[in-house]
Amino acid sequence: GKILASYPDMSLRLVGRVTAVKLDKGFAFANAKSQTYFVHATELIQRSEFDAMPVGAVVVFLPKPSRGAQVNPPATSVDWIA
């Protein structure tokens, strides 16, 4: 796994677990702090990892507020760490 201290903005990041992956649609969902976040494939720091990311993977990300009709707030700058 990666070292969490290596993120300069770690105090703003959340650590979560992937709960669903929709490979055909290019997105996933991750839970952190009792909230479900929307993870778009383009938000992965290593985009090529998305196709192999399993349910249960641990991710670290920057949460952003929901906009408009979004039910799940977006996760940005997502890194798959375990």
Side-chain angles (χ1 to χ4, degrees):
K2 296 177 182 168
I3 299 170
L4 293 180
S6 66
Y7 299 99
D9 54 0
M10 191 58 210
S11 64
L12 304 175
R13 289 179 173 267
L14 295 178
V15 176
R17 190 168 295 276
V18 174
T19 57
V21 178
K22 306 290 185 185
L23 286 176
D24 57 327
K25 306 250 192 234
F27 65 84
F29 293 98
N31 282 351
K33 293 196 174 187
S34 302
Q35 172 72 55
T36 299
Y37 291 86
F38 176 79
V39 179
H40 195 274
T42 59
E43 287 295 339
L44 261 76
I45 291 171
Q46 297 292 325
R47 167 61 181 96
S48 60
E49 292 182 342
F50 183 80
D51 295 338
M53 191 170 62
V55 168
V58 177
V59 291
V60 61
F61 60 90
L62 290 170
K64 296 291 181 190
S66 295
R67 293 192 319 206
Q70 285 180 317
V71 174
N72 303 103
T76 63
S77 188
V78 181
D79 203 3
W80 173 16
I81 60 170

